[in-house]
Amino acid sequence: KPISIIGMPMDLGQGRRGVDMGPSAIRYASAQSLLEGLGYEVEDIGDISVPSPESIQIGNPKLKYLTEIKDVCEKLSETVSSVVERKRFPLVFGGDHSMAIGTIAGVAKHYNNMGLIWFDAHGDLNTGKTSPSGNIHGMSLAISLGIGDPDLVNISGYAPKVRPENTVIIGARELDPGEKELIAQLGIKVFTMHEIDRLGMARVMDEAIGIVSHDTDGVHLSLDLDGLDPKDAPGVGTPVPGGITYRESHLAMEMLAEAGILTSAEFVEVNPILDRENQTAKVAVALMGSVFGQKVL
Ligand code: DIR
Ligand code: MN
Ligand code: MN
Ligand code: MN
């Protein structure tokens, strides 16, 4: 399938500058030529326009930059949706994880029942009530499940976007109290670092693929680079030690490629300002290679 790249230079969903440069950093790491080398037809649609935090007001401290995040996620949703309509694979570069609200809104309306893989050190299952930070990047999975601020939950005019039984979280190692409650309440399958250590990534991915592809007609991958260990992906705003290794993450992507289930993907939270020589964008691009079928032999 042909691929359409979309850049989302979003940094309003969290507190550290520089993640708006993530899409540029990923392009600089030669994403497009790698994918073309694998035989794909690739177009780059360019960036969604996002206002800089200096030019706007924070607003409600429990839902920082709510109005602007809603507006730019609506725009991203429309762009992603038109890519799906054109029978192309949307591949979105970020940008902080609040952008997933827009990406998922744009893809999920094209499926009756979409599966979702949330690869992250965090749950992103807070709401304005439970969030310790007020940062919307820590709420984007809850919002996609229909829980949280109605303005965000109803982006693109429908809710919820995905169901908890079709959602898996992989790599979690830092969850807030409200997020743990929501996981128990909704019954979301979470493969924490404990399960990855104990079962191994191969078995975790077998189970995860089984869950997200059961009775679904599309699967979205939302990959937060902080799911990886900070040694392998240092250029992220909220690093948490003890993460998924470079090799484990490749195996996960290779198994997704083999399963052939993905219909859209986003690579988020790349912050080149906090990075060492663009290592994190390079890892993101290498993982995209595996997602799109690159093999050693
Ligand atoms: C934290 C951090 N749970 C919050 N979340 C992050 O602010 O809600 N998500 N960093 O990726
Ligand atoms: Mn995240
Ligand atoms: Mn995270
Ligand atoms: Mn199912």
Side-chain angles (χ1 to χ4, degrees), residues 1 84 89-90 103-104 107-108 110-118 161-162 165-168 170 205 208-222 255-257 259-266 291-292:
K1 214 178 191 183
V84 178
F89 186 106
T103 309
I104 292 168
V107 285
H110 296 280
Y111 303 100
N112 295 317
N113 214 10
M114 194 180 78
L116 175 60
I117 299 172
W118 200 271
K161 273 65 178 181
V162 288
E165 64 267 30
N166 298 328
T167 301
V168 298
I170 299 173
M205 286 311 295
I209 288 166
I211 293 166
V212 297
S213 61
H214 175 259
D215 281 338
T216 61
D217 50 357
V219 177
H220 176 68
L221 169 66
S222 197
M255 290 181 73
L256 287 174
I261 55 173
L262 287 187
T263 45
S264 52
E266 64 194 327
V291 164
F292 288 99

mmCIF file of all heavy atoms in Angstrom, residues 1 84 89-90 103-104 107-108 110-118 161-162 165-168 170 205 208-222 255-257 259-266 291-292:
data_model
loop_
_atom_site.group_PDB
_atom_site.id
_atom_site.type_symbol
_atom_site.label_atom_id
_atom_site.label_comp_id
_atom_site.label_asym_id
_atom_site.label_seq_id
_atom_site.Cartn_x
_atom_site.Cartn_y
_atom_site.Cartn_z
ATOM 1 N N LYS A 1 0.846 -1.210 0.000
ATOM 2 C CA LYS A 1 0.000 0.000 0.000
ATOM 3 C C LYS A 1 0.879 1.257 0.000
ATOM 4 O O LYS A 1 1.867 1.308 0.720
ATOM 5 C CB LYS A 1 -0.841 -0.015 1.288
ATOM 6 C CG LYS A 1 -2.230 0.583 1.113
ATOM 7 C CD LYS A 1 -2.986 0.461 2.440
ATOM 8 C CE LYS A 1 -4.444 0.800 2.257
ATOM 9 N NZ LYS A 1 -5.177 0.764 3.516
ATOM 10 N N VAL A 84 -6.753 8.009 4.337
ATOM 11 C CA VAL A 84 -7.403 6.686 4.331
ATOM 12 C C VAL A 84 -8.375 6.582 3.160
ATOM 13 O O VAL A 84 -8.430 5.556 2.469
ATOM 14 C CB VAL A 84 -8.134 6.420 5.667
ATOM 15 C CG1 VAL A 84 -8.847 5.065 5.636
ATOM 16 C CG2 VAL A 84 -7.156 6.480 6.844
ATOM 17 N N PHE A 89 -1.722 4.514 3.392
ATOM 18 C CA PHE A 89 -1.412 4.214 4.791
ATOM 19 C C PHE A 89 -0.945 5.505 5.473
ATOM 20 O O PHE A 89 0.092 6.068 5.103
ATOM 21 C CB PHE A 89 -0.307 3.166 4.848
ATOM 22 C CG PHE A 89 0.008 2.652 6.235
ATOM 23 C CD1 PHE A 89 -0.390 1.376 6.618
ATOM 24 C CD2 PHE A 89 0.725 3.436 7.150
ATOM 25 C CE1 PHE A 89 -0.088 0.890 7.894
ATOM 26 C CE2 PHE A 89 1.015 2.951 8.418
ATOM 27 C CZ PHE A 89 0.617 1.677 8.787
ATOM 28 N N PRO A 90 -1.700 6.005 6.476
ATOM 29 C CA PRO A 90 -1.254 7.210 7.175
ATOM 30 C C PRO A 90 -0.125 6.902 8.162
ATOM 31 O O PRO A 90 -0.259 6.035 9.028
ATOM 32 C CB PRO A 90 -2.498 7.687 7.936
ATOM 33 C CG PRO A 90 -3.609 6.758 7.575
ATOM 34 C CD PRO A 90 -3.001 5.524 7.000
ATOM 35 N N THR A 103 -5.079 11.792 15.323
ATOM 36 C CA THR A 103 -4.785 10.673 14.410
ATOM 37 C C THR A 103 -5.874 9.599 14.517
ATOM 38 O O THR A 103 -6.415 9.143 13.500
ATOM 39 C CB THR A 103 -3.425 10.021 14.759
ATOM 40 O OG1 THR A 103 -2.417 11.026 14.848
ATOM 41 C CG2 THR A 103 -3.025 9.001 13.713
ATOM 42 N N ILE A 104 -6.185 9.223 15.746
ATOM 43 C CA ILE A 104 -7.145 8.133 15.959
ATOM 44 C C ILE A 104 -8.549 8.555 15.512
ATOM 45 O O ILE A 104 -9.279 7.764 14.905
ATOM 46 C CB ILE A 104 -7.085 7.661 17.429
ATOM 47 C CG1 ILE A 104 -5.734 6.977 17.681
ATOM 48 C CG2 ILE A 104 -8.245 6.720 17.757
ATOM 49 C CD1 ILE A 104 -5.411 6.709 19.141
ATOM 50 N N VAL A 107 -8.624 8.051 11.707
ATOM 51 C CA VAL A 107 -8.620 6.685 11.158
ATOM 52 C C VAL A 107 -9.829 5.871 11.606
ATOM 53 O O VAL A 107 -10.428 5.162 10.794
ATOM 54 C CB VAL A 107 -7.326 5.879 11.490
ATOM 55 C CG1 VAL A 107 -6.169 6.344 10.634
ATOM 56 C CG2 VAL A 107 -6.957 5.925 12.968
ATOM 57 N N ALA A 108 -10.198 5.980 12.890
ATOM 58 C CA ALA A 108 -11.172 5.035 13.457
ATOM 59 C C ALA A 108 -12.535 5.117 12.780
ATOM 60 O O ALA A 108 -13.269 4.123 12.740
ATOM 61 C CB ALA A 108 -11.306 5.250 14.966
ATOM 62 N N HIS A 110 -13.189 5.067 9.814
ATOM 63 C CA HIS A 110 -13.208 4.236 8.612
ATOM 64 C C HIS A 110 -13.339 2.747 8.926
ATOM 65 O O HIS A 110 -13.353 1.922 8.015
ATOM 66 C CB HIS A 110 -11.939 4.484 7.789
ATOM 67 C CG HIS A 110 -11.872 5.895 7.285
ATOM 68 N ND1 HIS A 110 -12.553 6.330 6.189
ATOM 69 C CD2 HIS A 110 -11.236 6.985 7.786
ATOM 70 C CE1 HIS A 110 -12.335 7.625 6.004
ATOM 71 N NE2 HIS A 110 -11.528 8.040 6.959
ATOM 72 N N TYR A 111 -13.385 2.411 10.202
ATOM 73 C CA TYR A 111 -13.477 1.003 10.596
ATOM 74 C C TYR A 111 -14.683 0.805 11.520
ATOM 75 O O TYR A 111 -15.049 1.700 12.280
ATOM 76 C CB TYR A 111 -12.179 0.559 11.297
ATOM 77 C CG TYR A 111 -10.964 0.795 10.410
ATOM 78 C CD1 TYR A 111 -10.145 1.905 10.590
ATOM 79 C CD2 TYR A 111 -10.688 -0.073 9.349
ATOM 80 C CE1 TYR A 111 -9.066 2.145 9.735
ATOM 81 C CE2 TYR A 111 -9.613 0.162 8.493
ATOM 82 C CZ TYR A 111 -8.809 1.273 8.691
ATOM 83 O OH TYR A 111 -7.762 1.518 7.843
ATOM 84 N N ASN A 112 -15.266 -0.384 11.451
ATOM 85 C CA ASN A 112 -16.378 -0.690 12.361
ATOM 86 C C ASN A 112 -15.861 -0.883 13.771
ATOM 87 O O ASN A 112 -16.536 -0.565 14.744
ATOM 88 C CB ASN A 112 -17.086 -1.974 11.919
ATOM 89 C CG ASN A 112 -17.753 -1.795 10.572
ATOM 90 O OD1 ASN A 112 -18.388 -0.771 10.316
ATOM 91 N ND2 ASN A 112 -17.582 -2.764 9.691
ATOM 92 N N ASN A 113 -14.656 -1.421 13.861
ATOM 93 C CA ASN A 113 -14.111 -1.847 15.141
ATOM 94 C C ASN A 113 -12.595 -1.838 14.984
ATOM 95 O O ASN A 113 -12.035 -2.722 14.362
ATOM 96 C CB ASN A 113 -14.614 -3.274 15.398
ATOM 97 C CG ASN A 113 -14.860 -3.553 16.850
ATOM 98 O OD1 ASN A 113 -14.848 -2.651 17.684
ATOM 99 N ND2 ASN A 113 -15.083 -4.814 17.157
ATOM 100 N N MET A 114 -11.953 -0.801 15.508
ATOM 101 C CA MET A 114 -10.509 -0.680 15.284
ATOM 102 C C MET A 114 -9.722 -1.177 16.496
ATOM 103 O O MET A 114 -10.068 -0.873 17.636
ATOM 104 C CB MET A 114 -10.144 0.777 14.981
ATOM 105 C CG MET A 114 -8.735 0.931 14.398
ATOM 106 S SD MET A 114 -8.289 2.644 14.043
ATOM 107 C CE MET A 114 -7.912 3.216 15.697
ATOM 108 N N GLY A 115 -8.666 -1.939 16.248
ATOM 109 C CA GLY A 115 -7.736 -2.327 17.300
ATOM 110 C C GLY A 115 -6.694 -1.238 17.498
ATOM 111 O O GLY A 115 -6.399 -0.478 16.573
ATOM 112 N N LEU A 116 -6.142 -1.173 18.719
ATOM 113 C CA LEU A 116 -5.178 -0.109 19.028
ATOM 114 C C LEU A 116 -4.037 -0.655 19.883
ATOM 115 O O LEU A 116 -4.274 -1.262 20.933
ATOM 116 C CB LEU A 116 -5.888 1.026 19.777
ATOM 117 C CG LEU A 116 -5.020 2.184 20.288
ATOM 118 C CD1 LEU A 116 -4.282 2.900 19.164
ATOM 119 C CD2 LEU A 116 -5.878 3.175 21.084
ATOM 120 N N ILE A 117 -2.819 -0.447 19.424
ATOM 121 C CA ILE A 117 -1.624 -0.796 20.192
ATOM 122 C C ILE A 117 -1.000 0.492 20.708
ATOM 123 O O ILE A 117 -0.624 1.359 19.922
ATOM 124 C CB ILE A 117 -0.609 -1.568 19.322
ATOM 125 C CG1 ILE A 117 -1.244 -2.871 18.830
ATOM 126 C CG2 ILE A 117 0.679 -1.845 20.119
ATOM 127 C CD1 ILE A 117 -0.404 -3.606 17.806
ATOM 128 N N TRP A 118 -0.926 0.604 22.036
ATOM 129 C CA TRP A 118 -0.371 1.802 22.674
ATOM 130 C C TRP A 118 0.962 1.414 23.298
ATOM 131 O O TRP A 118 1.005 0.792 24.351
ATOM 132 C CB TRP A 118 -1.345 2.313 23.740
ATOM 133 C CG TRP A 118 -1.124 3.748 24.104
ATOM 134 C CD1 TRP A 118 -0.303 4.236 25.074
ATOM 135 C CD2 TRP A 118 -1.763 4.888 23.508
ATOM 136 N NE1 TRP A 118 -0.373 5.608 25.090
ATOM 137 C CE2 TRP A 118 -1.254 6.031 24.146
ATOM 138 C CE3 TRP A 118 -2.697 5.039 22.473
ATOM 139 C CZ2 TRP A 118 -1.664 7.321 23.794
ATOM 140 C CZ3 TRP A 118 -3.105 6.305 22.137
ATOM 141 C CH2 TRP A 118 -2.584 7.435 22.794
ATOM 142 N N LYS A 161 -13.780 6.377 20.000
ATOM 143 C CA LYS A 161 -13.070 5.990 18.785
ATOM 144 C C LYS A 161 -12.700 4.510 18.825
ATOM 145 O O LYS A 161 -12.699 3.840 17.796
ATOM 146 C CB LYS A 161 -11.793 6.833 18.619
ATOM 147 C CG LYS A 161 -11.981 8.154 17.903
ATOM 148 C CD LYS A 161 -12.848 9.125 18.649
ATOM 149 C CE LYS A 161 -12.993 10.454 17.934
ATOM 150 N NZ LYS A 161 -13.828 11.389 18.700
ATOM 151 N N VAL A 162 -12.314 4.030 19.990
ATOM 152 C CA VAL A 162 -11.921 2.621 20.134
ATOM 153 C C VAL A 162 -12.522 2.050 21.407
ATOM 154 O O VAL A 162 -12.922 2.783 22.314
ATOM 155 C CB VAL A 162 -10.375 2.435 20.179
ATOM 156 C CG1 VAL A 162 -9.753 2.677 18.817
ATOM 157 C CG2 VAL A 162 -9.736 3.342 21.206
ATOM 158 N N GLU A 165 -11.717 -3.361 24.905
ATOM 159 C CA GLU A 165 -11.371 -4.772 24.642
ATOM 160 C C GLU A 165 -10.520 -4.938 23.393
ATOM 161 O O GLU A 165 -9.964 -6.014 23.159
ATOM 162 C CB GLU A 165 -12.634 -5.650 24.571
ATOM 163 C CG GLU A 165 -13.587 -5.338 23.431
ATOM 164 C CD GLU A 165 -14.693 -4.350 23.816
ATOM 165 O OE1 GLU A 165 -14.461 -3.489 24.704
ATOM 166 O OE2 GLU A 165 -15.778 -4.427 23.226
ATOM 167 N N ASN A 166 -10.412 -3.877 22.584
ATOM 168 C CA ASN A 166 -9.570 -3.930 21.380
ATOM 169 C C ASN A 166 -8.264 -3.167 21.556
ATOM 170 O O ASN A 166 -7.558 -2.914 20.578
ATOM 171 C CB ASN A 166 -10.335 -3.361 20.192
ATOM 172 C CG ASN A 166 -11.579 -4.165 19.876
ATOM 173 O OD1 ASN A 166 -11.595 -5.374 20.073
ATOM 174 N ND2 ASN A 166 -12.621 -3.511 19.422
ATOM 175 N N THR A 167 -7.972 -2.783 22.803
ATOM 176 C CA THR A 167 -6.808 -1.937 23.084
ATOM 177 C C THR A 167 -5.797 -2.694 23.937
ATOM 178 O O THR A 167 -6.188 -3.370 24.892
ATOM 179 C CB THR A 167 -7.287 -0.684 23.857
ATOM 180 O OG1 THR A 167 -8.246 0.015 23.049
ATOM 181 C CG2 THR A 167 -6.135 0.247 24.198
ATOM 182 N N VAL A 168 -4.519 -2.580 23.595
ATOM 183 C CA VAL A 168 -3.469 -3.103 24.472
ATOM 184 C C VAL A 168 -2.418 -2.013 24.700
ATOM 185 O O VAL A 168 -2.136 -1.224 23.810
ATOM 186 C CB VAL A 168 -2.755 -4.362 23.920
ATOM 187 C CG1 VAL A 168 -3.714 -5.513 23.741
ATOM 188 C CG2 VAL A 168 -2.012 -4.071 22.636
ATOM 189 N N ILE A 170 1.580 -1.582 25.818
ATOM 190 C CA ILE A 170 2.825 -2.358 25.893
ATOM 191 C C ILE A 170 3.959 -1.459 26.394
ATOM 192 O O ILE A 170 4.195 -0.398 25.813
ATOM 193 C CB ILE A 170 3.180 -2.933 24.501
ATOM 194 C CG1 ILE A 170 2.068 -3.880 24.022
ATOM 195 C CG2 ILE A 170 4.534 -3.656 24.540
ATOM 196 C CD1 ILE A 170 2.252 -4.360 22.584
ATOM 197 N N MET A 205 3.901 -10.113 22.269
ATOM 198 C CA MET A 205 3.370 -9.661 20.970
ATOM 199 C C MET A 205 2.376 -10.655 20.382
ATOM 200 O O MET A 205 1.389 -10.251 19.776
ATOM 201 C CB MET A 205 4.508 -9.386 19.983
ATOM 202 C CG MET A 205 5.287 -8.116 20.272
ATOM 203 S SD MET A 205 4.271 -6.634 20.553
ATOM 204 C CE MET A 205 3.500 -6.410 18.938
ATOM 205 N N ALA A 208 -0.710 -9.825 22.264
ATOM 206 C CA ALA A 208 -1.202 -8.491 21.904
ATOM 207 C C ALA A 208 -1.833 -8.511 20.511
ATOM 208 O O ALA A 208 -2.919 -7.951 20.297
ATOM 209 C CB ALA A 208 -0.054 -7.479 21.951
ATOM 210 N N ILE A 209 -1.181 -9.176 19.573
ATOM 211 C CA ILE A 209 -1.704 -9.251 18.205
ATOM 212 C C ILE A 209 -3.039 -9.996 18.201
ATOM 213 O O ILE A 209 -3.992 -9.605 17.515
ATOM 214 C CB ILE A 209 -0.665 -9.905 17.267
ATOM 215 C CG1 ILE A 209 0.495 -8.924 17.026
ATOM 216 C CG2 ILE A 209 -1.288 -10.330 15.936
ATOM 217 C CD1 ILE A 209 1.745 -9.551 16.408
ATOM 218 N N GLY A 210 -3.122 -11.042 19.008
ATOM 219 C CA GLY A 210 -4.386 -11.774 19.127
ATOM 220 C C GLY A 210 -5.524 -10.879 19.603
ATOM 221 O O GLY A 210 -6.628 -10.909 19.055
ATOM 222 N N ILE A 211 -5.241 -10.044 20.591
ATOM 223 C CA ILE A 211 -6.282 -9.170 21.152
ATOM 224 C C ILE A 211 -6.698 -8.093 20.153
ATOM 225 O O ILE A 211 -7.885 -7.887 19.897
ATOM 226 C CB ILE A 211 -5.796 -8.532 22.474
ATOM 227 C CG1 ILE A 211 -5.628 -9.613 23.555
ATOM 228 C CG2 ILE A 211 -6.773 -7.438 22.947
ATOM 229 C CD1 ILE A 211 -4.839 -9.167 24.774
ATOM 230 N N VAL A 212 -5.735 -7.390 19.578
ATOM 231 C CA VAL A 212 -6.112 -6.246 18.721
ATOM 232 C C VAL A 212 -6.661 -6.683 17.358
ATOM 233 O O VAL A 212 -7.290 -5.878 16.665
ATOM 234 C CB VAL A 212 -4.956 -5.236 18.506
ATOM 235 C CG1 VAL A 212 -4.538 -4.616 19.816
ATOM 236 C CG2 VAL A 212 -3.786 -5.860 17.768
ATOM 237 N N SER A 213 -6.411 -7.927 16.968
ATOM 238 C CA SER A 213 -6.931 -8.347 15.662
ATOM 239 C C SER A 213 -8.198 -9.190 15.791
ATOM 240 O O SER A 213 -8.806 -9.540 14.775
ATOM 241 C CB SER A 213 -5.853 -9.082 14.858
ATOM 242 O OG SER A 213 -5.446 -10.237 15.534
ATOM 243 N N HIS A 214 -8.624 -9.484 17.025
ATOM 244 C CA HIS A 214 -9.832 -10.281 17.224
ATOM 245 C C HIS A 214 -11.070 -9.427 16.951
ATOM 246 O O HIS A 214 -11.321 -8.435 17.638
ATOM 247 C CB HIS A 214 -9.853 -10.821 18.666
ATOM 248 C CG HIS A 214 -11.113 -11.547 18.998
ATOM 249 N ND1 HIS A 214 -12.131 -10.969 19.721
ATOM 250 C CD2 HIS A 214 -11.531 -12.790 18.685
ATOM 251 C CE1 HIS A 214 -13.116 -11.839 19.844
ATOM 252 N NE2 HIS A 214 -12.775 -12.940 19.230
ATOM 253 N N ASP A 215 -11.848 -9.811 15.918
ATOM 254 C CA ASP A 215 -13.082 -9.086 15.569
ATOM 255 C C ASP A 215 -12.852 -7.620 15.211
ATOM 256 O O ASP A 215 -13.740 -6.794 15.423
ATOM 257 C CB ASP A 215 -14.100 -9.159 16.719
ATOM 258 C CG ASP A 215 -14.821 -10.491 16.753
ATOM 259 O OD1 ASP A 215 -14.864 -11.159 15.713
ATOM 260 O OD2 ASP A 215 -15.353 -10.856 17.824
ATOM 261 N N THR A 216 -11.685 -7.284 14.710
ATOM 262 C CA THR A 216 -11.446 -5.902 14.297
ATOM 263 C C THR A 216 -11.200 -5.862 12.787
ATOM 264 O O THR A 216 -10.889 -6.885 12.177
ATOM 265 C CB THR A 216 -10.225 -5.297 15.013
ATOM 266 O OG1 THR A 216 -9.065 -6.069 14.680
ATOM 267 C CG2 THR A 216 -10.410 -5.262 16.521
ATOM 268 N N ASP A 217 -11.355 -4.693 12.199
ATOM 269 C CA ASP A 217 -11.131 -4.554 10.756
ATOM 270 C C ASP A 217 -10.055 -3.518 10.430
ATOM 271 O O ASP A 217 -9.915 -3.083 9.293
ATOM 272 C CB ASP A 217 -12.443 -4.238 10.029
ATOM 273 C CG ASP A 217 -13.203 -3.079 10.656
ATOM 274 O OD1 ASP A 217 -12.764 -2.546 11.688
ATOM 275 O OD2 ASP A 217 -14.251 -2.690 10.096
ATOM 276 N N GLY A 218 -9.281 -3.118 11.442
ATOM 277 C CA GLY A 218 -8.169 -2.199 11.256
ATOM 278 C C GLY A 218 -7.401 -2.146 12.568
ATOM 279 O O GLY A 218 -7.972 -2.441 13.621
ATOM 280 N N VAL A 219 -6.112 -1.845 12.512
ATOM 281 C CA VAL A 219 -5.303 -1.726 13.735
ATOM 282 C C VAL A 219 -4.374 -0.525 13.611
ATOM 283 O O VAL A 219 -3.630 -0.396 12.630
ATOM 284 C CB VAL A 219 -4.462 -2.994 14.011
ATOM 285 C CG1 VAL A 219 -3.589 -2.800 15.254
ATOM 286 C CG2 VAL A 219 -5.350 -4.226 14.182
ATOM 287 N N HIS A 220 -4.421 0.350 14.622
ATOM 288 C CA HIS A 220 -3.535 1.514 14.666
ATOM 289 C C HIS A 220 -2.415 1.277 15.684
ATOM 290 O O HIS A 220 -2.671 0.789 16.785
ATOM 291 C CB HIS A 220 -4.326 2.767 15.054
ATOM 292 C CG HIS A 220 -3.474 3.995 15.210
ATOM 293 N ND1 HIS A 220 -2.838 4.598 14.143
ATOM 294 C CD2 HIS A 220 -3.129 4.715 16.314
ATOM 295 C CE1 HIS A 220 -2.153 5.657 14.584
ATOM 296 N NE2 HIS A 220 -2.308 5.748 15.899
ATOM 297 N N LEU A 221 -1.194 1.646 15.314
ATOM 298 C CA LEU A 221 -0.053 1.617 16.232
ATOM 299 C C LEU A 221 0.271 3.042 16.661
ATOM 300 O O LEU A 221 0.574 3.889 15.819
ATOM 301 C CB LEU A 221 1.169 1.010 15.533
ATOM 302 C CG LEU A 221 2.509 1.168 16.286
ATOM 303 C CD1 LEU A 221 2.508 0.368 17.599
ATOM 304 C CD2 LEU A 221 3.683 0.741 15.405
ATOM 305 N N SER A 222 0.191 3.300 17.979
ATOM 306 C CA SER A 222 0.575 4.599 18.519
ATOM 307 C C SER A 222 1.830 4.371 19.353
ATOM 308 O O SER A 222 1.763 3.829 20.463
ATOM 309 C CB SER A 222 -0.569 5.171 19.368
ATOM 310 O OG SER A 222 -0.373 6.558 19.576
ATOM 311 N N MET A 255 7.143 -8.491 14.311
ATOM 312 C CA MET A 255 5.985 -9.386 14.468
ATOM 313 C C MET A 255 4.710 -8.723 13.958
ATOM 314 O O MET A 255 3.837 -9.390 13.392
ATOM 315 C CB MET A 255 5.866 -9.834 15.921
ATOM 316 C CG MET A 255 6.991 -10.794 16.298
ATOM 317 S SD MET A 255 6.898 -11.373 18.001
ATOM 318 C CE MET A 255 5.499 -12.505 17.900
ATOM 319 N N LEU A 256 4.611 -7.411 14.130
ATOM 320 C CA LEU A 256 3.454 -6.695 13.564
ATOM 321 C C LEU A 256 3.480 -6.751 12.040
ATOM 322 O O LEU A 256 2.447 -6.949 11.393
ATOM 323 C CB LEU A 256 3.445 -5.231 14.028
ATOM 324 C CG LEU A 256 3.054 -4.997 15.484
ATOM 325 C CD1 LEU A 256 3.223 -3.523 15.850
ATOM 326 C CD2 LEU A 256 1.616 -5.445 15.723
ATOM 327 N N ALA A 257 4.665 -6.598 11.472
ATOM 328 C CA ALA A 257 4.785 -6.666 10.006
ATOM 329 C C ALA A 257 4.376 -8.051 9.511
ATOM 330 O O ALA A 257 3.617 -8.188 8.545
ATOM 331 C CB ALA A 257 6.214 -6.338 9.584
ATOM 332 N N ALA A 259 2.393 -10.171 10.955
ATOM 333 C CA ALA A 259 0.957 -10.379 11.142
ATOM 334 C C ALA A 259 0.161 -9.642 10.068
ATOM 335 O O ALA A 259 -0.982 -10.012 9.760
ATOM 336 C CB ALA A 259 0.538 -9.916 12.549
ATOM 337 N N GLY A 260 0.746 -8.586 9.516
ATOM 338 C CA GLY A 260 0.090 -7.858 8.431
ATOM 339 C C GLY A 260 -1.204 -7.178 8.841
ATOM 340 O O GLY A 260 -2.125 -7.035 8.034
ATOM 341 N N ILE A 261 -1.304 -6.738 10.082
ATOM 342 C CA ILE A 261 -2.577 -6.203 10.578
ATOM 343 C C ILE A 261 -2.650 -4.679 10.614
ATOM 344 O O ILE A 261 -3.728 -4.117 10.713
ATOM 345 C CB ILE A 261 -2.898 -6.738 12.005
ATOM 346 C CG1 ILE A 261 -1.737 -6.440 12.961
ATOM 347 C CG2 ILE A 261 -3.188 -8.231 11.956
ATOM 348 C CD1 ILE A 261 -2.040 -6.773 14.418
ATOM 349 N N LEU A 262 -1.503 -3.999 10.565
ATOM 350 C CA LEU A 262 -1.530 -2.543 10.770
ATOM 351 C C LEU A 262 -2.156 -1.810 9.586
ATOM 352 O O LEU A 262 -1.868 -2.118 8.432
ATOM 353 C CB LEU A 262 -0.121 -1.994 11.000
ATOM 354 C CG LEU A 262 0.560 -2.288 12.333
ATOM 355 C CD1 LEU A 262 1.858 -1.502 12.400
ATOM 356 C CD2 LEU A 262 -0.331 -1.957 13.522
ATOM 357 N N THR A 263 -2.984 -0.812 9.920
ATOM 358 C CA THR A 263 -3.604 0.016 8.888
ATOM 359 C C THR A 263 -3.215 1.493 9.029
ATOM 360 O O THR A 263 -3.532 2.298 8.153
ATOM 361 C CB THR A 263 -5.139 -0.133 8.940
ATOM 362 O OG1 THR A 263 -5.581 -0.065 10.311
ATOM 363 C CG2 THR A 263 -5.574 -1.473 8.369
ATOM 364 N N SER A 264 -2.551 1.850 10.142
ATOM 365 C CA SER A 264 -2.056 3.218 10.336
ATOM 366 C C SER A 264 -1.055 3.186 11.492
ATOM 367 O O SER A 264 -1.058 2.255 12.297
ATOM 368 C CB SER A 264 -3.200 4.194 10.657
ATOM 369 O OG SER A 264 -3.992 3.716 11.735
ATOM 370 N N ALA A 265 -0.197 4.223 11.560
ATOM 371 C CA ALA A 265 0.802 4.267 12.632
ATOM 372 C C ALA A 265 1.238 5.704 12.887
ATOM 373 O O ALA A 265 1.167 6.555 12.000
ATOM 374 C CB ALA A 265 2.016 3.414 12.275
ATOM 375 N N GLU A 266 1.659 5.936 14.132
ATOM 376 C CA GLU A 266 2.266 7.229 14.463
ATOM 377 C C GLU A 266 3.443 6.973 15.398
ATOM 378 O O GLU A 266 3.419 6.053 16.215
ATOM 379 C CB GLU A 266 1.244 8.179 15.101
ATOM 380 C CG GLU A 266 0.691 7.710 16.433
ATOM 381 C CD GLU A 266 -0.559 8.496 16.847
ATOM 382 O OE1 GLU A 266 -0.661 9.692 16.530
ATOM 383 O OE2 GLU A 266 -1.432 7.871 17.506
ATOM 384 N N VAL A 291 8.503 -2.131 10.842
ATOM 385 C CA VAL A 291 7.040 -2.117 10.690
ATOM 386 C C VAL A 291 6.642 -2.370 9.236
ATOM 387 O O VAL A 291 5.652 -3.035 8.950
ATOM 388 C CB VAL A 291 6.449 -0.765 11.156
ATOM 389 C CG1 VAL A 291 5.026 -0.571 10.657
ATOM 390 C CG2 VAL A 291 6.488 -0.656 12.663
ATOM 391 N N PHE A 292 7.456 -1.831 8.320
ATOM 392 C CA PHE A 292 7.117 -1.952 6.903
ATOM 393 C C PHE A 292 7.885 -3.082 6.214
ATOM 394 O O PHE A 292 8.068 -3.069 5.002
ATOM 395 C CB PHE A 292 7.304 -0.609 6.198
ATOM 396 C CG PHE A 292 6.231 0.380 6.579
ATOM 397 C CD1 PHE A 292 6.467 1.350 7.549
ATOM 398 C CD2 PHE A 292 4.960 0.297 6.014
ATOM 399 C CE1 PHE A 292 5.464 2.241 7.926
ATOM 400 C CE2 PHE A 292 3.954 1.184 6.386
ATOM 401 C CZ PHE A 292 4.202 2.160 7.343
#
